[in-house]
Amino acid sequence: MALDDSANIYATFASTYPGKFFVVRSTDQGSTWMQYEYTGPELSRVPRDIVADHNGNVWLLWISWESEFAPAYLNLSKSIDSGRTFTTLFSSLSYFDGHLYQKLAVDAQNSIYMLWDDVQFKLTKFRFGDINQRVDAEIPNDTLLIGSWPSSTVSKDFVVHCAWEGSFYDPATGYHEFVFYSRSTDSGA
C-alpha cells in the first residue's frame, strides 16, 4: 500500500488470471475504491510494491514472465494520473526468479529508491524521480544468500534504511537464517 500527500490510498494486487494485475485507489480514507486493471502479453505479471512521491506520481514495481521457461523481468512504472495508467521506465532481468526481493521507497526530494536483486543485492536510486539519474549501491553482507521480505525507507534527513532476511549454508551445521539491517547516511550512494 501507499499513501500520497493528499491522503489518497493506493494498493496493488495480482489476479488469478495470467498477465493481469490491479491497482486500487481510495480518495475517502478507504470508504470507496476505484479499480484499474492492467493486462499485457506476458504469461504472468505480478506487482511487488507501490509508492507515491510528493509530486503526486505513483510508482509501481512489478515482475513479468514472457513464458513459462523465460527469465523474470523487474519493471518500474510511473503513473502521472493517480494510477489510471502507467508507463514503464525501467526494466531489467530479475535474478532468483523475482520472488519477494524488491521494495520501493521515496525521499523528500522525490528520489525513488529500489531495493532489488541484480546478481548482487543492491539499492538503486533514481535522483529526483529521473530514470536517467541512476545511482547503484551494493548492500553490505551480500556474501550470504538473500532470503526474502526486504524493507526500505528514507528518513527526512535522507538516511536510507534497509532490512531483509538472509541465510547461508554451512555444510557442517546446515542453513542459518538472519535478519540484516543496513543504512546509508549519504543518501544511498
Side-chain angles (χ1 to χ4, degrees), residues 131-143:
I131 296 300
N132 296 314
Q133 293 191 43
R134 177 179 171 177
V135 178
D136 290 317
E138 291 182 6
I139 303 294
N141 298 324
D142 196 35
T143 56

Side-chain angles (χ1 to χ4, degrees), residues 140-166:
N141 298 324
D142 196 35
T143 56
L144 306 175
L145 297 173
I146 300 304
S148 57
W149 310 112
S151 184
S152 61
T153 190
V154 184
S155 62
K156 290 181 182 180
D157 58 353
F158 302 100
V159 175
V160 182
H161 304 268
C162 301
W164 68 95
E165 177 185 309

Side-chain angles (χ1 to χ4, degrees), residues 6-37:
S6 299
N8 296 311
I9 305 167
Y10 298 88
T12 184
F13 58 93
S15 169
T16 55
Y17 180 79
K20 182 191 300 187
F21 65 83
F22 299 93
V23 171
V24 293
R25 176 174 64 110
S26 176
T27 59
D28 56 8
Q29 300 177 349
S31 295
T32 60
W33 294 88
M34 290 159 271
Q35 179 173 294
Y36 309 111
E37 178 181 307

Side-chain angles (χ1 to χ4, degrees), residues 79-157:
S79 173
I80 59 172
D81 59 4
S82 301
R84 288 179 189 88
T85 61
F86 282 89
T87 301
T88 299
L89 302 175
F90 175 84
S91 185
S92 178
L93 184 65
S94 180
Y95 292 85
F96 305 111
D97 295 325
H99 295 289
L100 303 173
Y101 295 98
Q102 304 85 23
K103 196 67 177 169
L104 291 175
V106 63
D107 70 18
Q109 294 179 332
N110 295 312
S111 292
I112 303 301
Y113 297 82
M114 185 171 68
L115 188 58
W116 65 304
D117 55 323
D118 179 28
V119 180
Q120 285 287 117
F121 193 51
K122 72 173 160 185
L123 180 75
T124 295
K125 176 183 177 181
F126 299 103
R127 294 183 66 227
F128 313 113
D130 183 347
I131 296 300
N132 296 314
Q133 293 191 43
R134 177 179 171 177
V135 178
D136 290 317
E138 291 182 6
I139 303 294
N141 298 324
D142 196 35
T143 56
L144 306 175
L145 297 173
I146 300 304
S148 57
W149 310 112
S151 184
S152 61
T153 190
V154 184
S155 62
K156 290 181 182 180
D157 58 353

Side-chain angles (χ1 to χ4, degrees), residues 3 38-39 51 66 68 98 102 123 133 138 146 167 173 186:
L3 186 67
Y38 301 96
T39 59
V51 296
E66 295 293 330
E68 184 177 354
Q102 304 85 23
L123 180 75
Q133 293 191 43
E138 291 182 6
I146 300 304
S167 65
T173 59
D186 57 6

